[in-house]
Amino acid sequence: MSAGYILAIDQGTTSSRAILFDSDENIAGIAQKEFTQHFPEPGWVQHDALEIWESQLAVAREVLKHSGIPAAQVRSIGITNQRETTVVWDRYTGKPVAPAIVWQDRRTALFCHKLREEGHEPLFRERTGLILDAYFSGTKIRWILDNTPGARAAAEAGDLLFGTVDAWLIWKLTGGNVHATDASNASRTLLFNVHTLSWDEELCRILDIPMQMLPEVKDSAGDFGHTEEEWLGLSVPIGGVAGDQQAALFGQGCMEPGMAKNTYGTGCFMLMNTGEKPVPSTHGLLTTVAWKLNGKAAYALEGSVFIAGAAIQWLRDGLGIIRSAEDTESLARSVKDTAGVYFVPAFAGLGAPYWDMEARGLISGLTRGTTAAHIVRAALESLAYQTCDILRAMEKDAGMDMNTLKVDGGAARNDFLMQFQADVLQVLVSRPHNTETTALGAARLAGISAGMFRMEDFMKEGNFRSFRPVMSAGEAGAKYAGWQQAVRRSFHESSTDQAADQ
Ligand code: ADP
């Protein structure tokens, strides 16, 4: 490894962050700035793309200033970003033509429904690995073109550009010289064929999106141009780009098929590396590009749990039986088990692998002996069981066994939860000391381009704490069977019979 620093730009849904890593991957500085969330109508979520850019530039300058590291020592910039969020801007003025539509925004749900009714879903699913949902960029671009005066004509004339947030930042940083994205971000648009690794003409035609708006799709580690001198005082190469979840997978060192990471936040985000071929899912998981390096893509299966840490928040704010999320650990340990209590936090329906949007939460197995500690313990265990549900589905889809689960996110700090996770999965759970895995992933990609890091470096055992299963397989299986029974009880009545057959 050679000296110098990498500047990781971590553009998230609620804040813009900049993190400096030295050549040993130590953090030399962090700056962070929140920006405004706009909710103009029910179900709509917007960002001001210019505010994203300005806050991102501000934190990049701030981290350099506060750490005292001159920009000349920054060898490369890595960008990781909130995925799917859609920006459309004018290539001549550099101004967004509409507010950025955020991944959470549901305004195109009806349009997606119509496309499904017209029978388009199998084609999108087969080519993009995604489901036809408002979450992804494609229908958001279409909405902007249809609802912004003059936008469609301007797009057809080649005057408008589309980008996910990475492409927008690259374009701004390079002073409009480079309009590019990486394959991991492209694979979240509904327009990208994950088999040919190129924009798909037919899908663009169905969504009525002029292809000249689309950015060039590059390897995740490569040449994304140089920053304008005025931004950081001198020109710095941009060498790495990946969407946030894929960057976390990379930052966690999940380079080989069968390796998976789970981020325990409000919800859980799980990705499993499935290797060189895209694996279709029969359990409602997504197929996505993990990264593209040296012209070759690595793929992943992706699944998410809607309510994870949010269940802990509910114990605090809804039930009032804990004061802080940290309290859950000692309370859970104060009882030897849940005494048969299961907590199914289906507050917003159930996602993969159950897909029952009408399911609702429940606490089962209550007796006169049940205490708050049992309920808290059952809530924590529900995070582990839901993770298990998705990982088992991934293993079935991929036809491979997971060997280690790498973890990060706020609730991964809970040692009780991590031990229970290892027990119920019967695999090693590994938590890195450096929990900035997303930014680290972007920094590693940029470091590869700059010749600072080599892939082999990421395969080594890093600095982490591991949790090994101590529960017997029989006991784990019995507990998990109890969970599956409780989940069935939470199904919407009309789907109970169907689900029981699965
Ligand atoms: P997000 O990025 O989704 O906001 P974070 O990664 O910051 O989430 O994690 C916060 C979530 O983790 C909250 O929902 C909180 O309830 C949960 N959490 C934080 N610390 C703990 C803990 N020690 N035990 C269990 N849950 C926790």
Side-chain angles (χ1 to χ4, degrees), residues 15 37 56 106 181 184 190 207 231 287 296 314 336 348-349 400 407 474 478 487 502:
S15 71
Q37 310 288 314
Q56 197 60 71
R106 304 300 304 165
T181 187
S184 76
L190 275 180
L207 292 182
W231 305 134
T287 304
K296 251 177 132 174
W314 181 75
K336 73 174 187 352
M400 52 177 79
V407 298
V487 169
Q502 284 178 358

Side-chain angles (χ1 to χ4, degrees), residues 249-260:
L249 189 70
F250 199 74
Q252 284 273 22
C254 297
M255 317 313 245
E256 286 171 30
M259 295 179 95

